Amino acid sequence: MALSKEQIAQRIAKELRDGYYVNLGIGIPTLVANYIPEGINVVLQSENGLLGMGPFPPEGEEDPDLINAGKQTITTVPGSAFFDSAMSFGMIRAGKVDLTVLGAMEVSENGDIANWKIPGKMVKGMGGAMDLVASANNIIVAMMHTNPKGESKLLPQCSLPLTGVKCVKKIVSDLAVLDVTPRGFKLLERAPGVSVEEIKNKTLGKMIVEGDVPEMEV
Amino acid sequence: MNKVVANAEEAVKDIMDGAVLMLGGFGLCGIPENSIAALVRKGVKNLTCISNNAGVDDFGIGLMLKQKQVKKMISSYVGENAEFERQLLSGELEVELIPQGTLATRCLAAGYGMPAVFTPAGAGTEVAAGKETRNFNGKDYLLESAFEADFAIVKAWKGDTLGNLIYRETARNFNPLMAMAGKTTIAEVEKLVEPGELDPNIIHTPGIYVHRIFEGINYEKRIEQRTVRKYK
């Protein structure tokens, strides 16, 4: 069975380590905050200017001055800090953020990512995505393995305009966990009940399979 | 030295057609509501607006778009605005999309007196077209120029009559950067106080950067995405 979006988030949460500063993108990545493992403390960065993002506020306590990068009302946790947008992207550029999780439309076998523009459709802009992918040392992409038409999103080369080049380190899709290596996508884990064959069929880019590929624990 | 003006009308009175403006805020958070309303009433046209976003249909910069006052937007993300999309597709509006961190850094460069900076965002993508790319320590960077804006219009939480400003929570965002970057900087604040009433240790924008200041009225502070949790 392919993973649900919640399960993708749950699997990515296992990559968190105690003390990490983490930036979570919009969509599935946001859900990762719901599955932070017991005993692990991470600090969430919101690129509009906050370290120490907390959960949504209780009803009636929404504060219009306190939002996340998705423009949602949020709260802070004890020990949080506010800063301006230049410092926010400064800490991203300087590699201070340990893990960045974001969505993608396409990823290529050399780690290029496309997630901001579809030619011919209304272009809303890249927001902070280009800054994040250009600078983060550790980028995990959370996405569906195929697009709504059933076509692979893991490609030899991206067909859409790029957001960044050679930057993605790991992909967690609804079907598999893969590392991006100099030799292509390396299959590490498969979703429960999903065969290596099925993943191969839905991965257009070069994929390496070595030995037995275990099922994910979710 | 008198930086205090009576209201938003007076603050924006010499903003003329064709001006290049910086407008603070992220989404609708920390936007200069009073000044935008005054610009809409003034009806000034052919503006170039540097702002992370373009408001929504009936609030923020969206109000200026509706009156067709904006010739060009320089932003990082412009969703959530149907009128914006219509003007863009019909060719009435010119848009330059740039990475959010690049936008922030081009403001910073202007405020720090640096003509340009190197940033990796967009290297190897279409954003790099026409820009100098240089490799430092094995990584490509783009040369990005400092913005030049006639006016920066920002919103702060508290300010004093000398122009010292303090922002609140994530309403800080681009405001202090733009405050540093305008040839003329206009600050609207929720509370205007006398010199000495703000702790000098916690000033975000020193008054040297601010030319005009006024206390705004009737802040709506609209929430774009109201999200709450069910449990306490």
Side-chain angles (χ1 to χ4, degrees):
Chain A
M1 265 269 290
L3 302 188
S4 65
K5 289 179 178 179
E6 283 74 17
Q7 287 172 311
I8 295 175
Q10 218 176 331
R11 174 60 190 82
I12 290 172
K14 291 187 180 175
E15 302 292 320
L16 300 173
R17 299 291 173 267
D18 196 42
Y20 265 16
Y21 289 90
V22 181
N23 182 291
L24 301 175
I26 294 163
I28 301 174
T30 305
L31 302 173
V32 173
N34 299 334
Y35 301 102
I36 299 170
E38 199 71 25
I40 289 199
N41 286 302
V42 300
V43 179
L44 298 179
Q45 198 241 20
S46 189
E47 67 266 24
N48 56 318
L50 168 63
L51 276 167
M53 177 166 53
F56 296 147
E59 189 144 17
E61 291 177 30
E62 307 93 317
D63 178 347
D65 288 336
L66 183 50
I67 63 170
N68 64 17
K71 286 133 194 162
Q72 298 170 310
T73 46
I74 49 160
T75 56
T76 56
V77 297
S80 62
F82 296 111
F83 35 85
D84 65 55
S85 302
M87 184 177 280
S88 182
F89 285 95
M91 63 184 72
I92 289 166
R93 209 179 289 122
K96 305 295 181 187
V97 176
D98 299 292
L99 176 64
T100 296
V101 184
L102 73 178
M105 300 178 200
E106 296 177 346
V107 178
S108 75
E109 62 192 32
N110 69 347
D112 294 353
I113 179 171
N115 71 353
W116 77 284
K117 182 176 183 179
I118 301 174
K121 289 203 176 169
M122 167 69 187
V123 180
K124 294 187 169 182
M126 65 290 278
M130 280 195 184
D131 306 275
L132 281 159
V133 300
S135 297
N137 297 317
N138 191 6
I139 299 176
I140 300 180
V141 163
M143 66 176 190
M144 295 295 147
H145 212 90
T146 56
N147 66 21
K149 287 187 214 158
E151 299 161 342
S152 178
K153 294 168 73 169
L154 290 78
L155 304 170
Q157 281 181 318
C158 293
S159 63
L160 296 169
L162 295 181
T163 309
V165 296
K166 294 181 190 161
C167 52
V168 176
K169 296 288 188 296
K170 193 184 275 293
I171 299 165
V172 178
S173 77
D174 54 333
L175 302 182
V177 179
L178 309 102
D179 268 351
V180 178
T181 75
R183 297 182 294 143
F185 300 114
K186 186 177 178 193
L187 183 59
L188 300 179
E189 297 173 27
R190 54 201 171 82
V194 173
S195 68
V196 171
E197 208 51 38
E198 180 180 349
I199 298 165
K200 248 185 199 162
N201 289 338
K202 292 180 175 171
T203 305
L204 220 54
K206 191 175 168 198
M207 190 174 86
I208 310 154
V209 184
E210 287 173 352
D212 280 343
V213 179
E215 287 191 352
M216 283 182 229
E217 285 174 33
V218 282
Chain B
M1 186 177 345
N2 186 20
K3 298 184 178 184
V4 179
V5 293
N7 51 38
E9 266 70 27
E10 205 180 316
V12 305
K13 69 171 187 238
D14 58 346
I15 297 182
M16 297 301 169
D17 288 357
V20 178
L21 310 182
M22 285 179 163
L23 294 134
F26 176 88
L28 300 177
C29 182
I31 60 172
E33 293 181 22
N34 279 243
S35 300
I36 291 171
L39 287 168
V40 170
R41 286 193 292 270
K42 186 175 158 71
V44 60
K45 286 196 165 31
N46 286 320
L47 300 171
T48 295
C49 293
I50 302 166
S51 183
N52 190 58
N53 312 91
V56 295
D57 275 326
D58 58 347
F59 202 56
I61 293 174
L63 297 169
M64 291 160 69
L65 288 163
K66 204 189 253 174
Q67 306 294 328
K68 303 197 175 145
Q69 294 176 270
V70 182
K71 178 184 69 177
K72 181 176 180 182
M73 282 298 314
I74 301 175
S75 303
S76 86
Y77 188 81
V78 294
E80 346 302 349
N81 192 323
E83 175 61 15
F84 180 96
E85 188 170 343
R86 191 197 66 71
Q87 290 185 22
L88 178 62
L89 295 173
S90 70
E92 294 163 64
L93 179 67
E94 193 186 333
V95 178
E96 186 181 337
L97 293 169
I98 60 177
Q100 193 175 335
T102 300
L103 179 64
T105 307
R106 291 175 68 187
C107 295
L108 184 88
Y112 276 31
M114 301 183 293
V117 288
F118 281 102
T119 173
T125 75
E126 63 183 51
V127 167
K131 289 174 188 160
E132 181 185 337
T133 300
R134 200 183 295 183
N135 191 284
F136 295 95
N137 304 317
K139 184 168 173 158
D140 284 340
Y141 293 78
L142 305 182
L143 187 64
E144 297 278 4
S145 60
F147 281 125
E148 289 182 34
D150 300 314
F151 294 88
I153 307 175
V154 303
K155 151 84 196 320
W157 180 31
K158 294 176 183 173
D160 68 21
T161 57
L162 293 175
N164 294 302
L165 304 176
I166 297 171
Y167 307 90
R168 185 169 179 272
E169 299 176 337
T170 56
R172 192 182 316 182
N173 55 63
F174 288 86
N175 282 301
L177 306 166
M178 291 181 171
M180 292 192 298
K183 287 192 192 95
T184 298
T185 291
I186 298 165
E188 58 173 86
V189 297
E190 287 178 55
K191 190 159 177 48
L192 183 62
V193 301
E194 291 300 318
E197 290 187 48
L198 301 178
D199 179 353
N201 285 300
I202 59 167
I203 300 293
H204 296 132
T205 297
I208 191 169
Y209 286 114
V210 176
H211 305 91
R212 298 172 197 168
I213 190 167
F214 67 95
E215 189 172 282
I217 51 167
N218 301 328
Y219 279 104
E220 180 180 334
K221 291 198 181 186
R222 193 184 295 186
I223 291 174
E224 210 165 328
Q225 304 280 343
R226 186 179 299 275
T227 45
V228 296
R229 64 177 188 246
K230 295 282 179 279
Y231 58 93
K232 274 287 150 186

